[in-house]
Amino acid sequence: PAGAVPLRLCGTRAASEGLSKPVIDRIIRVDHAGEYGADRIYAGQMAVLGRSSVGPVIQQMWDQEKDHLKKFSELMVSYRVRPTVLLPFWNVAGFVLGAGTALLGKRGAMACTVAVEESISDHYNSQIRTLMEEDPEKYKELLQIIKQFRDDEREHHDIGLAHDAEAAPAYSVLKTAIQLGCKAAIFLSERI
């Protein structure tokens, strides 16, 4: 489980190991924002579909996202990274996206899950490549966390497909629009 990943870093340890502060700041800031957005998406889905047959499935994925968010919140403190100033926007946008796609029904919610989780796992893969190229030993603990969370996101993606995401109304259009939004959110959250 996500919560089982140990991390015993503090700001002084990170500094003494000579970590590339701008790279780490960017990774932690955007990952925190992404997990915050995912938390809000699942909250929106649960608000609409929580009492439906798919409610327990959404709750299970949401619980994992809460663990991810908690871990990145801890990393922000450990590495002294400021959050994106866009968190209030992601709060509303995430909830609206989750509730809005859930209003399309189970398939709409699952289409959202597939689109978001595919985007996030691809983004995590990119971060893994960056850290591996920089110094895999120096970033061992962070790599372990990102790999575990990437695997969780892929699992959510697969759950979405197993629950008929591709049968959602205008699936390819919906998926493309959500993924464009994810790319914009990633770009902005890394920088602002």
Side-chain angles (χ1 to χ4, degrees):
V5 179
L7 188 70
R8 300 170 317 274
L9 295 177
C10 67
T12 55
R13 177 175 169 200
S16 69
E17 291 179 2
L19 297 176
S20 176
K21 182 85 169 126
V23 171
I24 294 302
D25 284 3
R26 200 167 163 151
I27 287 172
I28 293 172
R29 179 178 303 107
V30 72
D31 290 354
H32 175 265
E35 297 299 348
Y36 182 77
D39 174 76
R40 302 310 302 145
I41 290 168
Y42 285 114
Q45 289 181 351
M46 284 299 289
V48 175
L49 296 173
R51 294 177 188 243
S52 73
S53 63
V54 77
V57 174
I58 295 170
Q59 184 66 56
Q60 177 189 1
M61 294 187 288
W62 189 18
D63 289 344
Q64 280 187 309
E65 298 298 347
K66 289 176 185 180
D67 289 342
H68 296 180
L69 178 57
K70 181 180 178 198
K71 178 54 73 179
F72 275 110
S73 294
E74 292 168 3
L75 290 175
M76 290 187 76
V77 172
S78 297
Y79 284 96
R80 298 181 184 191
V81 176
R82 69 161 177 78
T84 177
V85 299
L86 299 172
L87 283 182
F89 180 74
W90 300 150
N91 177 28
V92 174
F95 189 88
V96 168
L97 178 60
T101 55
L103 287 171
L104 297 173
K106 172 187 121 173
R107 293 173 177 159
M110 291 299 151
C112 177
T113 296
V114 167
V116 170
E117 301 296 21
E118 184 176 295
S119 295
I120 300 306
S121 62
D122 289 348
H123 180 69
Y124 278 154
N125 280 334
S126 176
Q127 289 179 339
I128 290 165
R129 282 190 296 277
T130 297
L131 294 173
M132 292 294 286
E133 289 169 7
E134 183 120 356
D135 188 341
E137 191 55 38
K138 183 165 51 171
Y139 297 110
K140 184 178 178 181
E141 289 176 299
L142 186 56
L143 278 164
Q144 182 183 6
I145 292 165
I146 293 173
K147 285 177 183 178
Q148 176 61 55
F149 291 0
R150 184 248 354 246
D151 292 348
D152 292 344
E153 308 304 0
R154 289 304 299 179
E155 180 185 350
H156 299 170
H157 169 273
D158 294 347
I159 289 169
L161 289 176
H163 284 86
D164 300 324
E166 294 170 306
Y171 172 75
S172 60
V173 173
L174 183 62
K175 181 181 176 192
T176 299
I178 291 170
Q179 289 184 326
L180 286 172
C182 287
K183 285 180 183 178
I186 288 167
F187 179 84
L188 292 170
S189 294
E190 283 179 329
R191 291 160 176 82
I192 301 175

